[in-house]
Amino acid sequence: MAENTTGTPSFARRGTLAFGQLGQAARLDAGYGTVEAPEAAGDSLSPSSKRRMLDRRQTFTEGEIQHPSKYQTWTIEQDEDTMSDSSLVINMLCDISPAGVLPLAFGMSGTGYIPSVLLLLVFASAAAYMMFLVARTIEIAGVKSYDRLWERCIGSDSKWMPTVVLWLVCFGNALAYICMVGDLISMCLPGFGINFLPRSYCIAVLAMFPLLPLCMLKDLSALAPTSFLALIAVVYMAIMMVIRFMDGSYLPGGEFHGFPRPKGHIGNFGIASLLLVNNLSIAFLCHYNGCKYYREFVDHRPGKFGVRVFTAFMLASCLFAITMLLGYATFGPNCEGVILNNYAKNDMLANIARFGMGFANVFSLPLMFSGLREATLVLLATANPGNAVFDQVWFQNALSAFMLGVIAILGIMVTDVSTVIGLVGAICGSAIIYVIPCLLFDRASAKFMGLGDYDHANPYEHVLVQTIGCIGVVLMFAGSMASILM
């Protein structure tokens, strides 16, 4: 590289520039590729201000100063912390709620109200803690994706394993989402007088727009507006369920001639509770994006990230509790696997909820699709290392269009994939939520003991982490059995 005589250093790799310091000497931070302005001649910066917060940042490489190409490539290293506190919470709520909220009332058939709420809180707390562990593991190991964490903490020969698990859970659930979208929207349209759009047409149209452009986005913060719309739909569904429970429309003699309200069922708990345990164990699934959420979170630190995660999971728990308890209180043991199917087809409030929840799943799917695309790119790079085409945005967009097309075609062709998706969710979902984060944190803490700020991990916490990891393995097998038998 030719020597620069203007006082501005030349840069050989992508970094984040302190925009107001272009004319001063700068240095590279090897951790995240951040170029910060240190003290230069004539400056009087105090040591505490050398790592100050930047008001504006410009990502660039040397050639992009004259020939911008910021949007021609995308890699994990180019992920920037652009997601605000509110965007993080909203995206997580959208990632969790639309699919997780629908089957919980059905799971209560063998579990009373009190045990159901206690189980909900336990699984919400455990899942939030696992996201916190992902952030801490990233800081301990110094790398920021599941495959690199595995490579550094466990070994390079098996670094493909978490990526395969992640790919399976994202692909399986994306297929479940697209099927649910088709079912919910095609079911509610006749209530609005639209009879010419069958399920297959709904899936095909929505796959082209808005799903395709949303699934091509690389920055999760850009999905926050649509995630907020999905959250509004979930809140409306909860309000609708409160109204229908209070007005008695689904009681015998009510407007929609339902079933008598269940009596008792306060503390029931037994082998049949495995159904609710299976549903709750993966209801808070968003851990496939755990590393990406942390990478893109503004000023990310494990403690700050953990507080926002806990906030999102507790808000989701409130929505889950309302819909789960009111769904069972309204329909009792007659609850279906998707609670909205219990409401009458001529119930306009329920039809609006179906329409809203269909689009809530549409807006939630791109978040999961982001994890699917990253996992696919990692697997391709592992199989063919050094191929620069995988970093090209045009290739990634073409790959996104192809994968979304495959998912949409499968969703049109296969109307019932519940057993297969249940198995994938139970095995791979429990693995990515509980087993892999616990294993990576345990190995990272042991391997890098004494090398950083996390060298004094509480030994009781290690016991807790190992216990949760073992329970996660049990949930994998129990969930798979429940999916087959029930």
Side-chain angles (χ1 to χ4, degrees):
M1 181 181 299
E3 183 180 357
N4 191 330
T5 60
T6 65
T8 302
S10 296
F11 300 98
R13 68 184 180 91
R14 181 172 294 272
T16 302
L17 180 68
F19 194 77
Q21 307 292 336
L22 279 172
Q24 300 184 20
R27 63 182 175 81
L28 291 175
D29 181 345
Y32 286 88
T34 300
V35 177
E36 300 192 4
E39 185 175 357
D43 290 343
S44 57
L45 298 177
S46 63
S48 62
S49 65
K50 289 182 180 180
R51 283 188 67 88
R52 59 174 175 243
M53 292 293 292
L54 305 178
D55 293 330
R56 184 181 177 195
R57 303 184 308 166
Q58 176 77 15
T59 300
F60 74 103
T61 58
E62 180 195 14
E64 290 176 1
I65 296 175
Q66 295 182 344
H67 305 286
S69 59
K70 178 179 179 180
Y71 299 107
Q72 292 182 6
T73 64
W74 180 90
T75 64
I76 288 176
E77 286 74 17
Q78 293 171 230
D79 256 358
E80 293 192 356
D81 47 347
T82 56
M83 202 181 326
S84 65
D85 293 26
S86 57
S87 294
L88 177 66
V89 173
I90 289 172
N91 275 339
M92 283 192 175
L93 281 169
C94 177
D95 216 348
I96 295 169
S97 301
V101 77
L102 294 173
L104 295 181
F106 172 69
M108 277 189 63
S109 58
T111 310
Y113 294 108
I114 294 177
S116 296
V117 173
L118 294 177
L119 285 172
L120 173 65
L121 294 176
V122 167
F123 279 105
S125 301
Y129 179 56
M130 293 299 99
M131 289 286 282
F132 178 52
L133 283 190
V134 171
R136 292 172 65 189
T137 306
I138 289 174
E139 294 296 336
I140 294 172
V143 290
K144 41 189 179 174
S145 64
Y146 281 115
D147 62 306
R148 296 178 188 182
L149 288 170
W150 191 282
E151 180 180 21
R152 189 156 192 196
C153 299
I154 298 175
S156 59
D157 292 340
S158 56
K159 69 176 184 178
W160 54 269
M161 292 180 63
T163 308
V164 169
V165 171
L166 195 154
W167 191 93
L168 287 172
V169 73
C170 287
F171 186 86
N173 282 280
L175 180 58
Y177 277 33
I178 204 77
C179 290
M180 195 177 301
V181 166
D183 293 340
L184 288 172
I185 294 183
S186 62
M187 182 182 297
C188 74
L189 288 181
F192 300 112
I194 301 175
N195 299 302
F196 55 87
L197 282 178
R199 177 181 180 275
S200 57
Y201 285 25
C202 292
I203 293 176
V205 170
L206 292 171
M208 289 186 287
F209 185 84
L211 274 176
L212 182 58
L214 290 176
C215 288
M216 289 184 178
L217 294 175
K218 313 298 186 296
D219 188 345
L220 294 185
S221 63
L223 294 171
T226 52
S227 296
F228 184 70
L229 294 177
L231 182 58
I232 291 176
V234 177
V235 172
Y236 171 80
M237 171 185 158
I239 294 173
M240 181 276 296
M241 295 180 71
V242 172
I243 293 173
R244 286 306 184 223
F245 174 77
M246 298 295 293
D247 67 13
S249 296
Y250 287 86
L251 290 175
E255 181 180 358
F256 301 107
H257 308 290
F259 303 96
R261 286 179 179 169
K263 297 180 180 180
H265 204 70
I266 302 299
N268 299 30
F269 191 80
I271 191 65
S273 299
L274 280 176
L275 183 60
L276 182 61
V277 168
N278 183 41
N279 288 339
L280 286 173
S281 65
I282 58 174
F284 296 93
L285 175 63
C286 65
H287 298 65
Y288 41 80
N289 277 330
C291 294
K292 189 171 180 64
Y293 278 133
Y294 187 67
R295 289 196 310 261
E296 295 190 6
F297 182 41
V298 172
D299 190 27
H300 46 252
R301 299 186 302 273
K304 179 182 176 183
F305 181 74
V307 171
R308 277 53 177 186
V309 168
F310 184 80
T311 300
F313 279 56
M314 288 303 104
L315 290 174
S317 298
C318 292
L319 291 172
F320 285 1
I322 292 172
T323 55
M324 175 179 70
L325 298 177
L326 287 179
Y328 189 84
T330 303
F331 300 105
N334 300 292
C335 290
E336 296 191 27
V338 175
I339 190 61
L340 286 176
N341 292 345
N342 281 97
Y343 292 88
K345 293 183 179 181
N346 60 336
D347 184 345
M348 186 55 65
L349 289 181
N351 280 330
I352 296 173
R354 291 186 184 102
F355 186 81
M357 288 302 295
F359 272 91
N361 280 278
V362 167
F363 295 143
S364 179
L365 194 149
L367 293 165
M368 179 172 288
F369 195 89
S370 177
L372 176 63
R373 181 182 56 247
E374 284 194 21
T376 305
L377 291 172
V378 169
L379 292 175
L380 290 174
T382 302
N384 190 9
N387 193 335
V389 72
F390 300 145
D391 297 339
Q392 299 295 315
V393 168
W394 69 263
F395 174 82
Q396 295 170 10
N397 288 342
L399 178 66
S400 297
F402 172 76
M403 290 193 299
L404 181 61
V406 170
I407 291 170
I409 291 172
L410 289 176
I412 292 172
M413 293 175 58
V414 183
T415 57
D416 185 7
V417 291
S418 57
T419 301
V420 175
I421 292 174
L423 285 171
V424 171
I427 298 173
C428 298
S430 295
I432 202 67
I433 297 175
Y434 307 106
V435 180
I436 291 176
C438 287
L439 179 60
L440 290 176
F441 178 78
D442 184 70
R443 292 296 86 209
S445 300
K447 187 171 184 178
F448 300 105
M449 185 70 71
L451 297 181
D453 295 333
Y454 297 88
D455 54 340
H456 301 296
N458 191 320
Y460 294 106
E461 184 180 28
H462 278 288
V463 174
L464 174 64
V465 168
Q466 292 167 356
T467 301
I468 294 176
C470 292
I471 293 174
V473 175
V474 174
L475 289 174
M476 291 168 59
F477 290 100
S480 61
M481 292 301 297
S483 298
I484 294 173
L485 297 177
M486 299 182 183

